[in-house]
Amino acid sequence: MLTPFDKQRRLQTSKDFLELVGDNIDEICDRIVTVDETWVRQYDPESKQESIQWTKKGERPPKKFKVQKSASKLMATFFWDSEGVLLIDYLTKGTTMNGQYYPNLLAQAREAVVQKRRGKLSRGVLFLQDNASVHTARVSRQALKDMGFSEIDHPPYSPDLAPSDYFLFSNLKKKLRGRRFVDDNQMKMAVESHFDCKEKEYFLGGLKALYTRCEKCISLEGDYIEK
């Protein structure tokens, strides 16, 4: 449950984003780089809704047994922007995402921007991340400052206002659900293949949706957005 303070923070952050965008949504989205982490599994069963099968009238639907998610999984960090995925990092098993690892990832992301997005640094990168402790650590904030990235404020407890959560990850996992991968490499190939076939408009649309979500958050006085 969101507290009154949480709602006020979400409300103000949404207003600030709309003010930042003004009438220049394409220009602002072109400057955004966003990041988030998620688990990717070798096997994630389909949901009940996704596994529905059509049957002829009078036929009984096939009996289904509950299937467990695979225990084998990788923590993947995605840096992306309005043109596509800039960098995917898979955390080596036994390694911890900490104040040393994450700043190193930020440096790799900056290099990816230099190599793949000519002119983006000079236009000024607007960096969007959630409030995970490793993101807000002093060493991480200093790394962003040293890189010349300006951070867009993100309210706590707000996956509905995080493009990776409401767009990138939900679509990726829907695509992978029900598929069984023999090892981590095959799983990584499936992830990268999913993004490689997407046009730039796909990613731009995911970022633009943040504007309408902020509008809806304001109309709901800071409450959660259902869809």
Side-chain angles (χ1 to χ4, degrees):
M1 294 291 291
L2 291 168
T3 67
F5 177 80
D6 294 331
K7 291 182 181 180
Q8 183 58 40
R9 177 81 183 274
R10 285 166 51 84
L11 185 63
Q12 188 58 53
T13 301
S14 295
K15 289 179 178 178
D16 290 344
F17 183 73
L18 296 191
E19 184 177 344
L20 172 69
V21 169
D23 296 324
N24 305 304
I25 189 165
D26 286 324
E27 179 185 329
I28 294 300
C29 285
D30 180 60
R31 294 173 58 194
I32 290 175
V33 171
T34 187
V35 63
D36 210 342
E37 299 86 16
T38 191
W39 288 107
V40 184
R41 297 175 181 272
Q42 284 190 15
Y43 180 68
D44 192 4
E46 291 179 312
S47 66
K48 187 175 181 180
Q49 184 68 29
E50 290 169 332
S51 63
I52 288 175
Q53 295 181 12
W54 289 102
T55 57
K56 293 179 182 179
K57 188 175 181 180
E59 278 187 350
R60 287 187 175 184
K63 186 176 289 187
K64 296 186 178 179
F65 300 91
K66 188 173 182 179
V67 183
Q68 298 294 325
K69 293 180 179 181
S70 168
S72 182
K73 60 184 181 180
L74 288 177
M75 173 65 75
T77 302
F78 294 79
F79 292 84
W80 61 286
D81 66 0
S82 62
E83 295 185 47
V85 174
L86 287 159
L87 174 69
I88 305 175
D89 176 80
Y90 297 96
L91 191 68
T92 304
K93 292 173 182 176
T95 306
T96 303
M97 178 73 77
N98 55 28
Q100 182 178 1
Y101 193 95
Y102 186 63
N104 180 57
L105 272 189
L106 291 175
Q108 291 180 51
R110 185 186 186 280
E111 184 60 26
V113 171
V114 171
Q115 296 296 327
K116 300 178 181 180
R117 306 287 190 264
R118 183 174 295 180
K120 195 178 187 87
L121 282 182
S122 62
R123 292 192 295 275
V125 170
L126 299 172
F127 195 71
L128 179 60
Q129 60 181 355
D130 65 19
N131 292 278
S133 58
V134 71
H135 295 170
T136 57
R138 184 180 301 175
V139 65
S140 301
R141 288 269 162 81
Q142 186 61 47
L144 286 174
K145 186 177 179 181
D146 293 343
M147 289 161 49
F149 286 9
S150 299
E151 198 170 352
I152 298 175
D153 191 31
H154 179 78
Y157 317 117
S158 299
D160 56 333
L161 298 177
S164 295
D165 286 314
Y166 69 69
F167 172 72
L168 199 77
F169 296 160
S170 58
N171 289 333
L172 169 65
K173 292 186 178 186
K174 185 176 180 181
K175 185 71 174 180
L176 298 182
R177 208 168 285 135
R179 296 175 62 183
R180 198 180 295 273
F181 304 109
V182 297
D183 55 25
D184 289 344
N185 286 332
Q186 189 182 58
M187 179 177 65
K188 291 177 185 179
M189 287 175 62
V191 170
E192 285 152 27
S193 175
H194 169 76
F195 292 120
D196 286 344
C197 68
K198 302 297 184 188
E199 300 292 336
K200 292 179 181 178
E201 290 75 17
Y202 174 79
F203 301 95
L204 178 59
L207 290 181
K208 278 186 172 182
L210 180 58
Y211 187 91
T212 54
R213 282 175 168 264
C214 285
E215 287 184 316
K216 192 165 185 181
C217 180
I218 292 169
S219 71
L220 294 171
E221 299 183 343
D223 210 346
Y224 279 129
I225 301 162
E226 292 300 323
K227 287 291 183 181

